[in-house]
Amino acid sequence: MPVTDKTGGTDGTAQTERGTGADRAAGAPSAASAPPVKCLVWDLDGTLWQGTLLEGDEPELRPGVRELIAELDRRGILHAVASRNDHDQAWPHLERLGVAEYFVSARIGWGRKPESVRGIAERLGFATAALAFVDDTEYERAEMAAHLPEVRVYTPEDLASLAERPEFTPGTVTAEAAGRRRMYQAGMARDRAREEFDGPDEAFLRSLEIEMSIGRATEGDLVRLAELTLRTSQMNATGVHYPHDALVRLIAEPGHEVLAVTMRDRFGSHGAVGVVLLRTDTPQWHLKLLATSCRVVSFGAGSLILRNLLDQAARAGTGIVADFRPTDRNRVMEITYRFAGFEDAPAGATRGLPPAEDGVQRLHALPERQPPERAVTVRAVDLGHVGGEAA
């Protein structure tokens, strides 16, 4: 039986055709070229649930919605709400229906939905092109298409097939992806704590009880590490993407270290946040790649890693030569290297290294022991011994 929508029309074949038109108006890419969706933004009345709150209805979830939300969450796709409703009235229903925990952002009020979607993207640190929007009302979909054409738009009738669409189907689902929502929620709790904290930044960092682990990567780490080299641009020293099979080969190659960096604090895990590719069988250690997630820039993750590597190199009696390719995005990474003590490499420092690739600069740091970290606990594998751990 058709369900009356909020504009007085009916859902059905005609509505689905209008939704397809909205997709076209939104400039939705073809299935072959569709970039992945990182967050699905839901309308509530007539979309997520059946019923309209302002009409006094007691809403119930649409059939299949709970399962779809859980499946996309397992794949690392986040959920948010953009609804014209009273927040204090709507949110308790999300809790009653058992889905409130899945939503990392909820813009529930009387503002325009394109502005709500833009705010959600900013809150999550995503480009708006990484968001998708589902709404039962033709007007809302058309307004989204007009103001944010890069946002992909869907109708409730599309929900049944959404999980099969390529833009919602990552090639590999990692443990990192499955825990992505919890990491974002922990990050928001962390941000609230910072706003409420009365004191200097270093004192706040100490209060977080941050722990960084630097260890040799295992086969199970490589999908996430390959993803980091691909997705990280601001904090990638060379801009080079190392696919999974290339990392597998490096792990097996003597003298090569593939290191996985993880972080956690009292709010929860940040997951794998960094990858290091290092050669230790050369006269000077050769740091081929350092890439870290942008979400831990504020914790100085890159600097922490570099200081640990420099300390270990100094204990081994050697310096480090690092590859760096400047791009229009990674200026922050160059500053990180310079503050850690890296300077343009003199000719003698690169002896025994293969020639630099086009566009790659060689930076060099002399052996120098580093002082202990004061605000963060760093645990690292001892690169001078297989199976060892450095303090």
Side-chain angles (χ1 to χ4, degrees), residues 7-21:
T7 58
T10 57
D11 290 338
T13 304
Q15 182 81 350
T16 303
E17 290 171 351
R18 289 199 300 270
T20 303

Side-chain angles (χ1 to χ4, degrees), residues 40-101:
L40 179 59
V41 182
W42 295 77
D43 169 50
L44 295 179
D45 292 341
T47 302
L48 182 90
W49 58 45
Q50 296 171 320
T52 302
L53 290 185
L54 288 180
E55 295 177 1
D57 296 335
E58 184 75 1
E60 295 296 335
L61 293 178
R62 277 181 175 267
V65 159
R66 186 188 309 276
E67 293 76 12
L68 175 63
I69 289 174
E71 175 57 24
L72 296 185
D73 179 77
R74 186 188 69 82
R75 298 178 188 184
I77 297 170
L78 305 177
H79 296 279
V81 172
S83 172
R84 294 183 192 271
N85 262 305
D86 180 88
H87 182 279
D88 293 342
Q89 182 183 13
W91 188 256
H93 286 290
L94 291 169
E95 294 178 322
R96 175 181 63 82
L97 294 168
V99 293
E101 65 182 292

Side-chain angles (χ1 to χ4, degrees), residues 303-318:
S303 297
L304 291 166
I305 296 166
L306 287 175
R307 287 197 294 268
N308 181 267
L309 294 176
L310 288 169
D311 190 69
Q312 294 211 50
R315 287 192 283 113
T318 186

Side-chain angles (χ1 to χ4, degrees), residues 95-126:
E95 294 178 322
R96 175 181 63 82
L97 294 168
V99 293
E101 65 182 292
Y102 288 102
F103 294 99
V104 296
S105 183
R107 299 296 176 107
I108 304 174
W110 306 109
R112 293 166 54 198
K113 292 188 179 179
E115 292 307 311
S116 294
V117 168
R118 187 178 284 110
I120 290 167
E122 291 174 356
R123 183 70 179 87
L124 298 177
F126 293 164

